[in-house]
Amino acid sequence: MVDQFLEYVEKHQNDFIERLRKAVAIPSVSSDPNRRQDVFRMSEFLIDELKALDAINVETRDPGQQDFHGTPLPLPPIVLATVGNDPAKKTILVYGHYDVQPALMEDGWDTDPFTLVEDEQHRLLGRGSSDDKGPVLGWINVVEAHKSLGLEMPVNLKFCLEGMEESGSEGLEPIIHEEADKYFKDVDSVCISDNYWLGTTKPCLTYGLRGVSYFHLTVQGPARDLHSGVFGGTVHEPMTDLFALMSKLVTPDGKILVPGIYDQVRPLTDTEEKTYDNLAFEMHELHDAVGSAINIHDSVRHVLQHRWRHPSLSLHGVEGAFYNPGDKTVVPARVVGKFSIRTVPDMELDKVTELVTKYVNDEFKKLNSKNTMKIVCSHAGNHWLASPEHWSYVAAAKAVERVYKVKPDLTREGGSIPITLTFQDALKRNVLLLPMGRGDDGAHSINEKLDRSNYVEGTKLLGTYLYEIAAAKPE
Amino acid sequence: MVDQFLEYVEKHQNDFIERLRKAVAIPSVSSDPNRRQDVFRMSEFLIDELKALDAINVETRDPGQQDFHGTPLPLPPIVLATVGNDPAKKTILVYGHYDVQPALMEDGWDTDPFTLVEDEQHRLLGRGSSDDKGPVLGWINVVEAHKSLGLEMPVNLKFCLEGMEESGSEGLEPIIHEEADKYFKDVDSVCISDNYWLGTTKPCLTYGLRGVSYFHLTVQGPARDLHSGVFGGTVHEPMTDLFALMSKLVTPDGKILVPGIYDQVRPLTDTEEKTYDNLAFEMHELHDAVGSAINIHDSVRHVLQHRWRHPSLSLHGVEGAFYNPGDKTVVPARVVGKFSIRTVPDMELDKVTELVTKYVNDEFKKLNSKNTMKIVCSHAGNHWLASPEHWSYVAAAKAVERVYKVKPDLTREGGSIPITLTFQDALKRNVLLLPMGRGDDGAHSINEKLDRSNYVEGTKLLGTYLYEIAAAKPE
Ligand SMILES: [Zn+2]
Ligand SMILES: [Zn+2]
Ligand SMILES: [Zn+2]
Ligand SMILES: [Zn+2]
């Protein structure tokens, strides 16, 4: 049956591309209030597609309204749909998003971002092609193949598609928690296709994400901004204190100076070390992504370990100080330094906050300043680590070998994808990140693309993954 | 004759206040394009006043147009007028400005800013009352008194009044240089009333200003802003380098760490030290001005020495980093730190730039960063120091004693008043800063005021100063 499926996908690839063309043509930019109707239009497009494929219970949940800088704006619906409900089969929840990043010709696109174009290298160019319309339609292609072939689906599928992912997934989390015992009740595992291969040649399964703890360091002194001519040299200036403190957080080669911060980091075992042996990534890919050779580490192994499994600390900016071009001689009265720590297993978020708070307070005391200082953790999202031994990962790895004739890279990512944790925590189920696109797709950049082969083989992969799940021996 | 003059001023003070009321009613805000016509209206008001007093050669110079964010905006005229041209008399150039700072009721004013109101403490409240319409009208009051009394002026007066002072004196400097050998040819000394008493009780003569050298410290690494999740811990981040460098410029208690920067500072002599003995200033005035007790030094003497005659270094901000409220996890690609050094005699500006450049480069090398760093001095204005022994200062001191029955404080200021240096350099003449208002007038704040007594006694002072010049023995 899987062969019939694979053959169908191969034969109908141009139809699938037509489907993607229609989707890309809807400029569903969630961050632009003038495009909000297009986001709604995109949800209707998906609902129509799902209904045409005899999905059952195609329904929506209304997340209500968004407060857009004081103006209420309706939030696009969460689209829920079920394909098959055989209690004898596993049920896989598929998450994706149908909104996209903004895109304008003026940004430097070579072609109209909302017109799908296939170039000579068979790259399908268009906003949302890879993030995340291609993967979402990949699942729909799988369903279509089965319906057209008169084949039964190997598992039950449940869709959860949102239209606000590029704008912080506003309104989604409460609905997931609310539906955990209802719509999501029978889900056995979750699969998300919304990240990317490590490089450009080899598929991967992603099983870990770093967390992030964000800090606001406020130094306050005068009641108002001061003139540096009149007061310079006579008062403790908040900026001087702030720079003294923030310069003590991390060294130029990336070592975090907060005592104890490395104590909770899980040691690297030989087994884990081996997963870094054959990763499809080269140093020039880092240099290309960054646009210059400012790497701290000289081997792929260490670069990726520092991206995936070691904590890092970045300074982001200062609120309250002078930030425009030009020269202004102000002494800012109250400045807020912003920095964040990327966290990894087994760091505990409360402990991180405690260590940072103690250290910054200790360092501030050493300054003997008469200003006041406050450090708070404004936001903390946990790291995430799944087991690549879980049956969902095993099935996905087998599917990759079958479709791509290669063992997938086992990867993690340095950033956070909050929805991953939300599903894991709300449903208490394993989550698999199974990317369709390549590392150079340019998800949030100009000339976003999805290679034709990634779309077609990716559709095959998603379907094959479901067959491998069904074929696996019960645990 | 001076007694007749003094008596006239005393008797006609309410007329003078009416003149100030008319001037304050014209909202000549130079920074607001919608008020530009009012700035022109204010110039016409002054021209009419001067013509009515038989000033000769009341004329204007047109500084041309301003580029206001891409829109051309006509610049208000420089008003020139001569009162008397007796070659046997000294010629004193009087500078003032007829534009004002913005002011709105919403800013928190207790009364309409453009309606002069006298309160129970005899404070004349209104925008421009003290900065700088009161002092400008003070000179006109002096001329009126002489005309009304049929008295000859003791010196020749030349006026130079501009309407863009609060917006960087745009267009003025070229005209001063152009007219140096023409309109300004016979000027013997310059007098500017556009600063303030040190405190609230005692008049002062101001003979020094600090200079300012402004620096841009640029650190650049990636070709574009990076995601701290993906790249944090793997690349040299420009912000980390910038904070490391800027934290090494000055200590929290105000000591400049750039080696050699103090070497050119003129040593404090016993004579100079004595000028700090009886200054009308108390620590609580610093605390009130700052709004909190964050003073580095505990005596008035040291506070004022650090404001007036020692250099200071202030950090102003960062361009290119995150500056809004909220949390953003960006790694900025290119950041420009802004700081300035207030300079004092005998620091040479080129030497300051050289020392800063060398130090920052040396410190950057120690960081072993792969980013690139550049430090430039974007702007440098020299410090200014006049001799209080000059006949103009001697005359002003005598005038203060005559009108106020007290020896004036000899003060300097921590900030720069660029026009002072421009006149000194273009005309090669002594400049005297002879303030009319008090230290708490709130020149650029809400509820700006000029005390009635400062306006009336100040008018007496300006006239008496001219008599003392005329009475002085020739050098
Ligand atoms: Zn996405
Ligand atoms: Zn995205
Ligand atoms: Zn002024
Ligand atoms: Zn002013």
Side-chain angles (χ1 to χ4, degrees):
Chain A
M1 286 179 300
V2 70
D3 291 330
Q4 271 182 282
F5 162 73
L6 294 173
E7 194 185 330
Y8 183 95
V9 173
E10 187 65 30
K11 268 194 190 153
H12 291 81
Q13 52 181 274
N14 286 335
D15 301 335
F16 296 160
I17 288 169
E18 282 315 300
R19 177 175 276 136
L20 183 57
R21 189 183 312 279
K22 284 182 202 158
V24 165
I26 304 171
S28 52
V29 179
S30 56
S31 61
D32 181 351
N34 296 315
R35 293 295 197 193
R36 187 54 56 91
Q37 59 188 16
D38 294 310
V39 185
F40 274 87
R41 208 146 58 81
M42 186 62 206
S43 72
E44 280 148 28
F45 170 84
L46 291 172
I47 290 166
D48 291 345
E49 292 281 321
L50 287 161
K51 282 188 175 162
L53 297 173
D54 301 339
I56 47 182
N57 300 329
V58 181
E59 48 189 336
T60 59
R61 294 291 180 276
D62 178 6
Q65 286 192 326
Q66 174 189 13
D67 174 17
F68 189 84
H69 302 294
T71 307
L73 213 56
L75 287 165
I78 311 298
V79 177
L80 305 177
T82 304
V83 179
N85 59 354
D86 181 345
K89 294 176 183 167
K90 283 227 155 50
T91 299
I92 303 300
L93 173 67
V94 162
Y95 161 89
H97 64 91
Y98 58 84
D99 62 321
V100 297
Q101 284 279 322
L104 296 167
M105 277 305 282
E106 300 94 276
D107 297 339
W109 282 72
D110 293 330
T111 57
D112 173 32
F114 297 108
T115 303
L116 193 75
V117 172
E118 183 167 8
D119 69 6
E120 290 177 356
Q121 297 155 68
H122 299 293
R123 304 185 309 171
L124 305 166
L125 290 147
R127 175 54 88 221
S129 55
S130 183
D131 181 19
D132 188 34
K133 290 178 176 176
V136 167
L137 297 187
W139 290 110
I140 289 178
N141 297 339
V142 169
V143 179
E144 183 209 292
H146 285 78
K147 179 178 152 68
S148 298
L149 293 167
L151 285 177
E152 226 183 289
M153 290 279 286
V155 305
N156 305 314
L157 269 193
K158 275 182 183 272
F159 284 86
C160 175
L161 308 174
E162 68 154 320
M164 286 296 288
E165 198 274 344
E166 302 294 7
S167 301
S169 292
E170 195 163 346
L172 176 60
E173 198 176 322
I175 290 174
I176 293 176
H177 283 279
E178 211 167 279
E179 297 289 338
D181 293 334
K182 300 174 195 161
Y183 175 75
F184 297 123
K185 190 169 174 285
D186 301 321
V187 168
D188 292 301
S189 193
V190 184
C191 181
I192 303 178
S193 283
D194 191 23
N195 67 317
Y196 305 91
W197 295 357
L198 182 51
T200 58
T201 55
K202 204 162 104 192
C204 67
L205 314 182
T206 305
Y207 71 103
L209 299 167
R210 292 198 289 189
V212 61
S213 290
Y214 205 96
F215 293 91
H216 291 200
L217 198 175
T218 306
V219 183
Q220 183 155 16
R224 61 200 74 89
D225 287 359
L226 300 177
H227 187 292
S228 63
V230 181
F231 297 101
T234 71
V235 296
H236 294 279
E237 300 186 12
M239 281 287 274
T240 308
D241 295 351
L242 183 73
F243 275 69
L245 293 176
M246 286 181 74
S247 72
K248 284 173 189 139
L249 295 171
V250 60
T251 64
D253 60 348
K255 279 187 204 67
I256 301 174
L257 294 169
V258 180
I261 210 79
Y262 290 108
D263 293 351
Q264 292 193 307
V265 176
R266 190 181 293 186
L268 188 61
T269 62
D270 290 347
T271 316
E272 189 191 335
E273 183 74 63
K274 284 210 185 71
T275 64
Y276 289 88
D277 284 350
N278 290 308
L279 296 171
F281 192 76
E282 294 174 33
M283 285 306 284
H284 77 81
E285 290 176 276
L286 176 69
H287 296 159
D288 290 352
V290 169
S292 77
I294 53 170
N295 50 299
I296 294 175
H297 314 283
D298 288 326
S299 70
V300 165
R301 179 180 299 270
H302 288 126
V303 166
L304 294 179
Q305 285 175 357
H306 279 273
R307 177 184 295 181
W308 294 348
R309 61 107 54 236
H310 291 303
S312 64
L313 190 153
S314 296
L315 310 180
H316 305 300
V318 181
E319 183 187 335
F322 175 52
Y323 60 81
N324 278 321
D327 300 2
K328 195 176 166 188
T329 56
V330 66
V331 173
R334 178 180 178 275
V335 284
V336 186
K338 311 280 180 81
F339 66 94
S340 68
I341 298 180
R342 296 285 163 177
T343 55
V344 297
D346 299 305
M347 294 166 81
E348 288 158 26
L349 300 190
D350 287 350
K351 185 72 185 170
V352 169
T353 303
E354 184 193 317
L355 291 171
V356 169
T357 305
K358 180 177 171 5
Y359 176 63
V360 172
N361 273 295
D362 287 351
E363 290 300 319
F364 182 68
K365 274 187 209 107
K366 291 185 196 163
L367 299 185
N368 278 317
S369 168
K370 292 182 184 170
N371 292 319
T372 56
M373 192 281 296
K374 196 179 70 177
I375 171 102
V376 292
C377 176
S378 58
H379 163 88
N382 215 341
H383 43 78
W384 168 77
L385 197 66
S387 164
E389 333 270 82
H390 186 274
W391 53 259
S392 174
Y393 279 81
V394 173
K398 283 190 184 162
V400 168
E401 289 205 57
R402 176 142 197 176
V403 174
Y404 285 96
K405 321 293 177 211
V406 67
K407 263 191 201 304
D409 280 341
L410 265 183
T411 70
R412 291 160 70 168
E413 292 208 354
S416 56
I417 307 179
I419 192 67
T420 312
L421 263 179
T422 305
F423 277 123
Q424 179 186 280
D425 294 348
L427 312 189
K428 318 283 181 222
R429 292 288 180 275
N430 174 279
V431 182
L432 162 69
L433 303 186
L434 182 60
M436 175 180 270
R438 302 184 187 179
D440 68 348
D441 279 357
H444 290 193
S445 312
I446 56 167
N447 300 328
E448 177 181 347
K449 58 88 181 170
L450 176 67
D451 292 81
R452 173 188 273 258
S453 68
N454 282 59
Y455 186 45
V456 176
E457 303 306 300
T459 294
K460 291 180 188 170
L461 174 64
L462 298 180
T464 307
Y465 159 65
L466 302 182
Y467 279 95
E468 293 293 347
I469 287 172
K473 293 202 194 92
E475 303 112 273
Chain B
M1 286 179 302
V2 70
D3 291 330
Q4 270 182 283
F5 161 74
L6 295 174
E7 194 185 330
Y8 183 93
V9 174
E10 186 65 29
K11 268 194 189 153
H12 291 81
Q13 52 180 275
N14 286 334
D15 301 335
F16 296 160
I17 288 170
E18 282 316 300
R19 178 175 276 135
L20 183 57
R21 189 183 312 279
K22 284 181 202 159
V24 166
I26 303 171
S28 52
V29 179
S30 56
S31 61
D32 181 353
N34 296 315
R35 294 296 196 192
R36 186 56 55 90
Q37 59 188 15
D38 294 309
V39 185
F40 274 86
R41 209 146 57 82
M42 186 64 206
S43 72
E44 281 147 27
F45 171 83
L46 291 172
I47 290 166
D48 291 346
E49 292 281 320
L50 287 162
K51 282 187 175 163
L53 298 172
D54 300 340
I56 47 182
N57 301 330
V58 181
E59 48 189 336
T60 59
R61 294 291 181 276
D62 178 7
Q65 285 192 327
Q66 175 188 11
D67 175 17
F68 190 84
H69 302 294
T71 306
L73 213 56
L75 286 165
I78 312 296
V79 176
L80 305 176
T82 304
V83 178
N85 60 354
D86 182 345
K89 293 177 183 166
K90 284 230 156 48
T91 299
I92 303 301
L93 173 66
V94 163
Y95 161 88
H97 65 90
Y98 58 83
D99 63 321
V100 297
Q101 284 278 321
L104 297 167
M105 277 306 280
E106 300 94 276
D107 298 338
W109 282 72
D110 293 331
T111 57
D112 173 34
F114 297 108
T115 304
L116 193 75
V117 172
E118 183 167 9
D119 71 4
E120 289 178 356
Q121 298 155 68
H122 299 294
R123 304 185 309 171
L124 305 166
L125 291 147
R127 175 55 88 220
S129 56
S130 183
D131 181 19
D132 188 36
K133 289 178 176 177
V136 166
L137 297 187
W139 290 110
I140 289 179
N141 297 338
V142 169
V143 178
E144 183 209 292
H146 284 79
K147 178 176 152 69
S148 297
L149 293 167
L151 283 177
E152 225 183 290
M153 290 280 286
V155 304
N156 305 316
L157 269 194
K158 275 183 181 271
F159 283 85
C160 175
L161 308 175
E162 68 155 320
M164 285 298 287
E165 198 273 344
E166 302 293 5
S167 299
S169 291
E170 194 163 345
L172 176 59
E173 197 175 323
I175 289 173
I176 293 177
H177 283 279
E178 210 168 281
E179 297 288 339
D181 293 333
K182 300 173 195 162
Y183 174 76
F184 296 124
K185 190 169 175 285
D186 301 321
V187 168
D188 293 299
S189 194
V190 184
C191 182
I192 302 177
S193 282
D194 191 24
N195 68 316
Y196 305 90
W197 294 358
L198 181 53
T200 57
T201 55
K202 205 163 102 191
C204 67
L205 314 182
T206 304
Y207 71 104
L209 299 168
R210 291 199 290 188
V212 62
S213 290
Y214 205 97
F215 292 91
H216 290 200
L217 197 175
T218 305
V219 184
Q220 183 154 17
R224 59 199 76 88
D225 286 358
L226 300 177
H227 187 292
S228 63
V230 180
F231 296 102
T234 71
V235 297
H236 294 279
E237 300 185 12
M239 280 288 274
T240 309
D241 295 351
L242 183 72
F243 275 69
L245 294 176
M246 287 181 75
S247 71
K248 286 174 187 137
L249 294 171
V250 60
T251 64
D253 60 347
K255 278 186 203 68
I256 301 174
L257 294 169
V258 180
I261 210 79
Y262 290 107
D263 293 352
Q264 292 193 308
V265 176
R266 190 181 294 185
L268 187 63
T269 61
D270 290 349
T271 316
E272 189 190 335
E273 183 74 65
K274 284 209 185 71
T275 66
Y276 289 88
D277 284 351
N278 289 307
L279 296 171
F281 191 75
E282 294 175 33
M283 285 302 286
H284 77 82
E285 289 175 275
L286 175 69
H287 296 160
D288 291 351
V290 169
S292 75
I294 54 170
N295 51 298
I296 293 175
H297 313 281
D298 288 326
S299 70
V300 165
R301 176 179 301 269
H302 288 125
V303 167
L304 293 179
Q305 285 175 356
H306 279 274
R307 175 184 295 181
W308 294 349
R309 60 109 54 235
H310 291 303
S312 64
L313 190 154
S314 296
L315 311 180
H316 305 300
V318 182
E319 183 186 334
F322 174 54
Y323 59 82
N324 278 321
D327 300 2
K328 195 176 167 189
T329 57
V330 66
V331 173
R334 178 180 179 275
V335 284
V336 186
K338 311 281 180 80
F339 65 94
S340 68
I341 298 180
R342 296 284 163 175
T343 55
V344 296
D346 297 305
M347 294 166 80
E348 289 159 24
L349 301 191
D350 287 349
K351 184 73 186 171
V352 169
T353 302
E354 185 193 316
L355 291 171
V356 169
T357 304
K358 181 178 172 1
Y359 176 64
V360 173
N361 273 296
D362 287 351
E363 290 299 318
F364 182 67
K365 274 186 208 108
K366 290 184 197 164
L367 300 185
N368 278 316
S369 168
K370 292 182 184 170
N371 293 317
T372 55
M373 192 281 297
K374 197 178 69 175
I375 171 103
V376 293
C377 176
S378 59
H379 163 88
N382 215 341
H383 43 78
W384 167 78
L385 196 66
S387 165
E389 333 271 80
H390 185 275
W391 53 260
S392 174
Y393 280 81
V394 172
K398 281 189 184 160
V400 168
E401 290 204 58
R402 177 141 194 177
V403 174
Y404 285 96
K405 321 294 176 207
V406 68
K407 263 191 201 299
D409 280 341
L410 265 183
T411 69
R412 291 159 71 167
E413 292 207 355
S416 57
I417 306 178
I419 192 67
T420 312
L421 263 179
T422 305
F423 276 123
Q424 180 186 279
D425 294 349
L427 311 189
K428 318 281 181 222
R429 292 288 178 276
N430 175 280
V431 182
L432 162 69
L433 303 186
L434 181 60
M436 175 181 271
R438 303 183 185 179
D440 67 348
D441 279 358
H444 290 193
S445 312
I446 56 167
N447 300 327
E448 177 182 348
K449 58 88 181 171
L450 176 66
D451 292 81
R452 172 188 274 257
S453 69
N454 282 60
Y455 186 46
V456 176
E457 303 306 300
T459 294
K460 291 180 189 170
L461 173 64
L462 298 179
T464 307
Y465 159 65
L466 302 181
Y467 280 95
E468 293 293 348
I469 288 172
K473 292 200 196 94
E475 305 111 272

